[in-house]
Amino acid sequence: MAGLMSGFGCFTHAVVRAVPQSLARDALRSGGLEVDLLKVQEEYEEYVSVLKHRLGLEVLELPADEALPDCVFVEDAAVVCGDTALVSRPGAQSRRREAVKAALTELGLNIVEMTDESATLDGGDVLFTGREFFVGLSKRTNQRGAEILADAFKDYAVSTVPVQDALHLKSFCSMAGPGLIAIGSSEAAQKALKVFEKLKDHMLIPVTNQEKAKVDGGLTCCSVLINMKKNI
Amino acid sequence: MLLSSNQPLIPQVCHTLTLTLTTSAHCLPVSNRPIMNWRFRATLQEYFTYQPKITLLSSFTHHYSQYLFFQVCDHLNLLEKDYFGLSFKDNTEQSCWLDPTKDIKRQIRNSQWQFVFSVKFYPPDPSQLTEDITRYLLCLQLRQDIASGRLPCSFVTHALLGSYTLQAELGDHDPEEHRLDYISDFQFAPNQTKELEEKVVELHKSHRGMTPAQADTQFLENAKKLSMYGVDLHHAKDSEGVDIMLGVCANGLLIYKDRLRINRFAWPKILKISYKRSNFYIKIRPGEAEQFESTVGFKLPNHRAAKRVWKVCVEHHTFFRLVSTEQPTKTKFLTLGSKFRYSGRTQAQTRQASSLIDRPTPYFQRTSSKRISRSLDGGIALHLLCLCVTGTLGLVSNGSMSSALLNETSLYEIPVHRLSLCGCSKLRVQGENIYVRHSNLMLEDLDKTQEDVLKHQASISELKRSFMEATPEPRPSQWDKRLTGSPATSLRLQAHGVRVLVLGIRTPPQTLRMPLSLCSAEKLVYSGCFLLHGSFKCGCVLSLSCSLARYFFKRALKCSETKSCQAAHNFDMASPTLTKTVGINAESRSCVAVRVLRLDGNGDGEPGVLMTAQTITSESLCTTTTTHITKTLKGGLSETRIEKRIVITGDSDIDHDQALAQAIKEAKEQHPDMSVTRVVVHKETELAEDED
């Protein structure tokens, strides 16, 4: 880390996890739609291929664990910024064991563990703009979790955004570029938008979601992005 | 006139000597300006350093604040001053900024004047600062902020910033010279672990080839991104009584709860800020979907805190957002509330001014204070970021003190033998008792009716008694402090480097007087004040120069109004007698060091028509007597005035009592038809300087 903000949006590695068979039946969801497992597999492979070949990232693929149907959504398991990784404590009980700690340790990151049992945090609720963090307070992430994140990443300001009618903060928004947040047009998004509007200089663009939305998955859910540029 | 910082700080040496009972001959500066010596003590936690002494000259107390600040900046060789300020701790241990537009005395009410030089406005982009020295001072401030925990950072950031500090101060990592303990002098984080130190060293190695200026720049490039960079925090409660922190920064207002930022109001969003009682309010511009403005209120611990937050907001907003400071509109009607406005330059203005800076990079050394003793020989070590200015009333030192920066030795040395008084609390009056006896002597010698003498003695005893009964003032009183800053009398009498003990006895008014004026004083204001104590103790009545008397009298009145000081109390009690002697009374004549006063013009209350003047000098083994006789016509009355100046030189073994008694006796013999109306004894003693 030659600087706090050098290369925001630039990453060198990606940690992903294979799709378990149990996803189709047991993955947590809000809707009741049927899931085509084959299609999920296809999407996943395409996704990894883009990361590897189009974006040139080094992809670390973790094996699926049938006991953890949501394990493909590795983003929720950890928050990585700079060379520190916060191994989070997902809000959903069934996801508590989705540890990616070993893989992150292997990559040489400083590991911070969220051991406080009153804290919950899903990585999907954490939006890093390059300058600060926004933590969505949702059904999966609480205030205490946000505080622990603030402690782990002392360099940055951490602000909270209330998230209603959506699973995660990043279910309806994401970074689209430096200083640019893309935000959805749903009601939940609009509510959160008001909070974002209080902040200066963030541009907001509406986008749409995809198949994984059926199991409340978004684009960012499927990877943990890491910048491994070793200036340190 | 306010001296510019380029002028020499001490005026030229005086040629004449008007002292008596001296133990050695001195030369006195001629200046008629009050002089205050300021001791600067750098306190930056472990960056505690030396105590240079800077002498300020100013005729106007309300310029002290600004002048003091400029002196400090000059000492640091800093041109881009607008980002910095002097702060002090008020009675409630809260940090306050010294307002340059107001008198120091009105702002700081502690006995110890301790100021800290620190960064007031943290520039969002330090790379735009023109000079390296400015960046260096900003780095010093940030290092302290980080070490104290005021600026939180991650482990890696601590290490990175620490490594830049090392690179800047020590240069390239040298494996031979730099073992692991070489950095134990530095503090990189509030809790420094071995692991952190190792990381710092590892990073230090990677900066090989970086110059100190580059290292400082890199330091700042990283530090400026920290979320708490430049955020001034204040404790508060929100409208629901929940504990929060209000943060004021270049971009606006931030609200923190626990460690989370729960709200942010950028300056463009804020329409108005105000405070009322202990509450602080901001009016927010309506959002796109909203129609009306909203007001957010915060509860501060007290009124002062609310006002402080408000002031900080005004200052930050003006500095960072405005191009130039607005002039306060003059209203015909009484405006309630504070008219405070930021009076300095805005960032836009200072940047413009900075772009005009065209001087070669000033040389300065970057050393941690701990190593200052070893580096005194080279340049001026600039770890002075936090200076503690101790306002001590020093004396004029004679000999010139050139600009602080150039003549380091004279700056550090305190010419002890020239300074008689060191500080408010350190003032020691010696030889006090002598004068008690003298006063009695004089009483006896007076050509008075018995009744008058008795009356006078009675009033003296009364004074003595009242003073003795009063509780002693262990520390300098408010009055002392107020007087120390006073311009008027200090103007004239402070310049002389001699301690004054003025006492005398007033006879019933006569047209003929013979004052025995022996010398004049320095630091009169202060010692004058002390004198009053002393004189009460001695039961002596004062006879002072007209203007001085007027001044003390006014002060006494003022003090008695506030009922805040011992001296005033005594003064008041004695005032019936004193008024006659001292008060705004045209009959009191100045007697104090004529020669000195003459420099400042006639000390007399009113001008007379000088008819004749005559000077006679006689010398003996160890005394020189100069008699100055003037005959003036005043209001139809012919007045002969004889001033005898007797200088007795020798060592301290002189029996002062006897010498004075002898002098008085001789004077009376020579002029039997005159009476002694005034005896002024000045004793100049060399006091050893107290070490802080």
Side-chain angles (χ1 to χ4, degrees):
Chain A
M1 183 182 78
L4 288 179
M5 251 195 74
S6 70
F8 166 70
C10 292
F11 304 98
T12 54
H13 291 63
V15 174
V16 298
R17 198 155 189 185
V19 182
Q21 301 276 346
S22 50
L23 179 136
R25 211 184 54 244
D26 299 326
L28 300 168
R29 69 203 72 188
S30 51
L33 295 166
E34 240 188 76
V35 175
D36 184 343
L37 201 56
L38 269 177
K39 258 212 173 126
V40 172
Q41 192 63 38
E42 269 171 32
E43 280 177 0
Y44 172 79
E45 275 161 23
E46 170 98 24
Y47 183 76
V48 172
S49 167
V50 165
L51 290 176
K52 260 193 200 157
H53 303 120
R54 294 281 299 277
L55 299 177
L57 297 175
E58 204 164 310
V59 180
L60 191 60
E61 246 185 283
L62 301 176
D65 185 342
E66 290 303 323
L68 305 167
D70 286 294
C71 66
V72 65
F73 304 118
V74 293
E75 181 195 47
D76 296 320
V79 178
V80 177
C81 180
D83 71 341
T84 303
L86 170 68
V87 175
S88 63
R89 194 166 173 272
Q93 181 69 34
S94 60
R95 301 193 62 186
R96 293 275 161 83
R97 291 195 307 111
E98 289 177 23
V100 291
K101 181 175 159 194
L104 297 171
T105 315
E106 217 180 273
L107 289 168
L109 298 169
N110 291 327
I111 308 291
V112 178
E113 281 190 82
M114 194 177 285
T115 48
D116 187 337
E117 299 213 346
S118 63
T120 57
L121 182 96
D122 270 17
D125 276 317
V126 180
L127 179 69
F128 180 58
T129 66
R131 283 205 297 268
E132 60 189 313
F133 281 97
F134 291 100
V135 179
L137 296 181
S138 65
K139 293 192 191 76
R140 301 287 179 89
T141 302
N142 63 13
Q143 175 95 359
R144 185 82 193 100
E147 281 172 23
I148 294 179
L149 184 107
D151 267 340
F153 301 109
K154 282 204 178 72
D155 294 345
Y156 301 99
V158 176
S159 311
T160 52
V161 179
V163 173
Q164 294 151 355
D165 307 325
L167 179 61
H168 289 138
L169 177 68
K170 284 194 285 197
S171 299
F172 52 77
C173 71
S174 184
M175 292 307 290
L180 185 63
I181 297 178
I183 193 157
S185 49
S186 68
E187 217 181 287
Q190 292 308 305
K191 280 190 194 158
L193 180 59
K194 283 208 174 51
V195 177
F196 278 124
E197 264 192 339
K198 281 197 231 171
L199 317 160
K200 60 156 193 160
D201 304 343
H202 280 97
M203 278 180 66
L204 307 162
I205 301 175
V207 292
T208 56
N209 274 346
Q210 289 182 346
E211 181 72 4
K212 282 197 215 66
K214 292 182 186 171
V215 284
D216 302 323
L219 272 177
T220 63
C221 300
C222 302
S223 59
V224 174
L225 299 172
I226 306 162
N227 183 356
M228 294 295 294
K229 236 192 295 204
K230 280 277 190 203
N231 279 330
I232 290 192
Chain B
M1 274 303 287
L2 198 60
L3 278 195
S4 82
S5 50
N6 290 329
Q7 291 183 19
L9 298 180
I10 299 276
Q12 66 279 19
V13 167
C14 168
H15 313 293
T16 60
L17 175 65
T18 50
L19 298 182
T20 65
L21 305 180
T22 58
T23 50
S24 59
H26 285 251
C27 292
L28 304 167
V30 170
S31 163
N32 57 358
R33 297 164 195 271
I35 289 155
M36 291 173 87
N37 282 328
W38 300 90
R39 285 222 197 88
F40 290 93
R41 191 155 36 99
T43 50
L44 178 57
Q45 290 187 330
E46 84 274 30
Y47 298 124
F48 186 90
T49 71
Y50 60 82
Q51 301 180 22
K53 200 160 176 163
I54 295 178
T55 305
L56 300 183
L57 292 171
S58 174
S59 306
F60 303 101
T61 55
H62 66 270
H63 282 166
Y64 279 161
S65 315
Q66 178 86 305
Y67 196 74
L68 175 61
F69 178 66
F70 284 160
Q71 279 294 303
V72 176
C73 290
D74 277 350
H75 181 79
L76 297 172
N77 207 6
L78 171 72
L79 289 181
E80 297 178 283
K81 313 182 188 28
D82 304 283
Y83 300 95
F84 302 85
L86 289 174
S87 70
F88 59 92
K89 284 217 159 38
D90 69 6
N91 299 335
T92 58
E93 292 300 307
Q94 287 292 320
S95 259
C96 311
W97 292 106
L98 187 69
D99 188 339
T101 59
K102 289 205 193 114
D103 203 331
I104 293 183
K105 306 195 297 294
R106 286 195 208 287
Q107 297 177 67
I108 184 165
R109 302 196 186 270
N110 306 329
S111 54
Q112 274 284 6
W113 290 14
Q114 295 218 357
F115 299 99
V116 182
F117 181 81
S118 28
V119 174
K120 191 169 179 184
F121 304 114
Y122 289 76
D125 192 1
S127 63
Q128 287 192 23
L129 295 171
T130 304
E131 292 203 311
D132 287 339
I133 197 164
T134 320
R135 270 183 284 272
Y136 172 65
L137 291 173
L138 181 58
C139 284
L140 283 185
Q141 176 73 68
L142 289 165
R143 276 155 63 177
Q144 193 196 23
D145 290 346
I146 290 168
S148 67
R150 205 179 131 200
L151 181 57
C153 355
S154 63
F155 174 88
V156 174
T157 306
H158 277 130
L160 186 65
L161 296 178
S163 69
Y164 286 126
T165 302
L166 290 184
Q167 184 67 25
E169 285 215 356
L170 306 175
D172 288 347
H173 176 85
D174 183 344
E176 276 175 21
E177 219 183 278
H178 300 146
R179 309 253 167 240
L180 201 59
D181 57 355
Y182 77 102
I183 59 172
S184 55
D185 275 352
F186 294 87
Q187 190 171 5
F188 305 116
N191 301 310
Q192 195 151 309
T193 60
K194 206 87 186 108
E195 200 192 339
L196 176 64
E197 290 183 356
E198 283 167 13
K199 188 76 178 175
V200 170
V201 174
E202 184 193 319
L203 291 171
H204 181 199
K205 289 177 188 164
S206 70
H207 303 317
R208 185 165 294 281
M210 208 183 266
T211 68
Q214 286 171 335
D216 280 347
T217 303
Q218 285 302 112
F219 180 101
L220 294 172
E221 282 302 292
N222 284 285
K224 78 182 188 190
K225 289 165 188 159
L226 294 169
S227 67
M228 299 304 289
Y229 172 83
V231 178
D232 185 18
L233 287 176
H234 301 260
H235 285 278
K237 286 193 203 282
D238 71 5
S239 49
E240 282 146 34
V242 178
D243 279 320
I244 53 159
M245 296 285 274
L246 276 175
V248 186
C249 68
N251 298 321
L253 229 61
L254 305 162
I255 320 293
Y256 297 91
K257 189 171 133 196
D258 299 322
R259 268 147 290 163
L260 305 177
R261 189 189 284 181
I262 58 173
N263 221 332
R264 176 189 350 202
F265 303 104
W267 291 123
K269 273 250 141 124
I270 300 178
L271 293 171
K272 187 171 107 171
I273 54 173
S274 57
Y275 70 98
K276 190 172 173 185
R277 289 193 283 268
S278 348
N279 299 321
F280 173 69
Y281 301 99
I282 52 176
K283 201 192 258 190
I284 313 292
R285 193 186 294 280
E288 277 174 21
E290 286 146 25
Q291 204 180 355
F292 302 108
E293 314 159 335
S294 52
T295 301
V296 186
F298 303 96
K299 195 151 174 55
L300 277 294
N302 52 55
H303 172 77
R304 261 195 94 142
K307 186 171 182 181
R308 196 181 306 124
V309 168
W310 179 81
K311 270 186 167 179
V312 169
C313 286
V314 169
E315 289 182 329
H316 274 73
H317 176 260
T318 312
F319 184 80
F320 287 108
R321 297 287 301 175
L322 300 184
V323 174
S324 62
T325 49
E326 60 184 44
Q327 293 306 313
T329 51
K330 296 204 193 305
T331 54
K332 293 206 185 97
F333 302 100
L334 181 67
T335 356
L336 296 171
S338 175
K339 290 185 246 351
F340 170 80
R341 289 292 180 272
Y342 174 62
S343 55
R345 296 199 286 203
T346 64
Q347 186 177 226
Q349 287 170 327
T350 186
R351 274 199 195 145
Q352 204 178 19
S354 292
S355 65
L356 300 172
I357 290 177
D358 181 26
R359 63 170 181 175
T361 313
Y363 169 70
F364 61 93
Q365 240 184 323
R366 293 171 169 77
T367 16
S368 169
S369 61
K370 289 202 174 151
R371 288 183 289 288
I372 175 61
S373 53
R374 283 172 252 149
S375 68
L376 263 179
D377 40 47
I380 304 284
L382 268 187
H383 37 273
L384 289 176
L385 186 72
C386 293
L387 298 180
C388 238
V389 176
T390 317
T392 59
L393 258 216
L395 269 201
V396 170
S397 69
N398 70 346
S400 62
M401 249 161 74
S402 54
S403 160
L405 204 59
L406 297 176
N407 194 346
E408 194 176 332
T409 17
S410 74
L411 187 64
Y412 292 35
E413 269 176 46
I414 299 160
V416 175
H417 65 286
R418 299 287 141 98
L419 300 176
S420 307
L421 286 169
C422 336
C424 298
S425 47
K426 296 192 188 77
L427 178 63
R428 300 191 296 276
V429 178
Q430 293 177 358
E432 213 180 329
N433 296 329
I434 296 173
Y435 302 106
V436 182
R437 281 170 281 161
H438 291 161
S439 72
N440 289 337
L441 253 178
M442 285 179 246
L443 269 177
E444 285 155 25
D445 282 347
L446 277 178
D447 195 9
K448 272 180 167 176
T449 65
Q450 189 62 12
E451 193 195 356
D452 283 345
V453 170
L454 283 172
K455 235 203 271 177
H456 197 59
Q457 266 175 339
S459 59
I460 297 286
S461 321
E462 168 67 18
L463 285 175
K464 258 192 200 162
R465 195 174 35 246
S466 69
F467 185 85
M468 293 310 202
E469 275 162 12
T471 46
E473 182 75 52
R475 306 182 77 214
S477 65
Q478 282 292 118
W479 193 16
D480 290 356
K481 284 174 288 181
R482 271 184 246 172
L483 284 175
T484 57
S486 103
T489 23
S490 30
L491 257 175
R492 239 157 268 239
L493 296 161
Q494 243 185 16
H496 299 277
V498 184
R499 199 182 56 218
V500 184
L501 283 177
V502 180
L503 39 98
I505 300 186
R506 188 78 157 89
T507 63
Q510 294 183 9
T511 54
L512 301 175
R513 292 168 241 291
M514 192 194 67
L516 277 178
S517 77
L518 300 181
C519 216
S520 109
E522 59 63 47
K523 205 171 165 169
L524 183 64
V525 176
Y526 185 75
S527 28
C529 194
F530 193 93
L531 252 191
L532 289 176
H533 284 291
S535 75
F536 288 118
K537 247 194 201 155
C538 307
C540 293
V541 171
L542 290 184
S543 178
L544 303 164
S545 71
C546 191
S547 53
L548 185 59
R550 199 176 293 137
Y551 175 78
F552 278 130
F553 191 67
K554 275 195 189 156
R555 278 289 174 185
L557 285 179
K558 214 170 176 188
C559 274
S560 60
E561 282 162 38
T562 59
K563 294 188 182 21
S564 64
C565 39
Q566 207 60 46
H569 176 66
N570 290 331
F571 198 70
D572 249 3
M573 283 199 62
S575 63
T577 322
L578 279 169
T579 328
K580 288 192 195 115
T581 310
V582 162
I584 309 168
N585 182 337
E587 280 179 310
S588 41
R589 296 277 185 257
S590 50
C591 64
V592 181
V594 169
R595 195 175 294 187
V596 171
L597 285 179
R598 207 187 287 156
L599 293 167
D600 302 318
N602 200 351
D604 277 7
E606 75 248 9
V609 178
L610 184 70
M611 299 182 64
T612 61
Q614 193 185 13
T615 308
I616 307 158
T617 314
S618 70
E619 273 186 319
S620 71
L621 193 61
C622 54
T623 58
T624 306
T625 307
T626 313
T627 311
H628 192 73
I629 304 172
T630 51
K631 242 190 189 155
T632 48
L633 193 65
K634 276 185 188 179
L637 280 170
S638 165
E639 180 201 321
T640 306
R641 182 177 173 195
I642 301 172
E643 255 170 65
K644 260 187 160 20
R645 193 169 300 110
I646 303 166
V647 182
I648 305 166
T649 48
D651 55 21
S652 48
D653 290 337
I654 290 173
D655 183 355
H656 297 117
D657 286 7
Q658 195 177 35
L660 184 58
Q662 185 66 26
I664 294 171
K665 190 152 159 254
E666 278 169 14
K668 282 198 69 60
E669 276 165 8
Q670 282 164 18
H671 308 274
D673 55 336
M674 289 177 149
S675 55
V676 178
T677 55
R678 215 169 276 106
V679 175
V680 179
V681 181
H682 298 259
K683 179 176 173 231
E684 187 179 350
T685 329
E686 294 176 1
L687 295 185
E689 174 83 355
D690 271 355
E691 288 308 308
D692 246 18

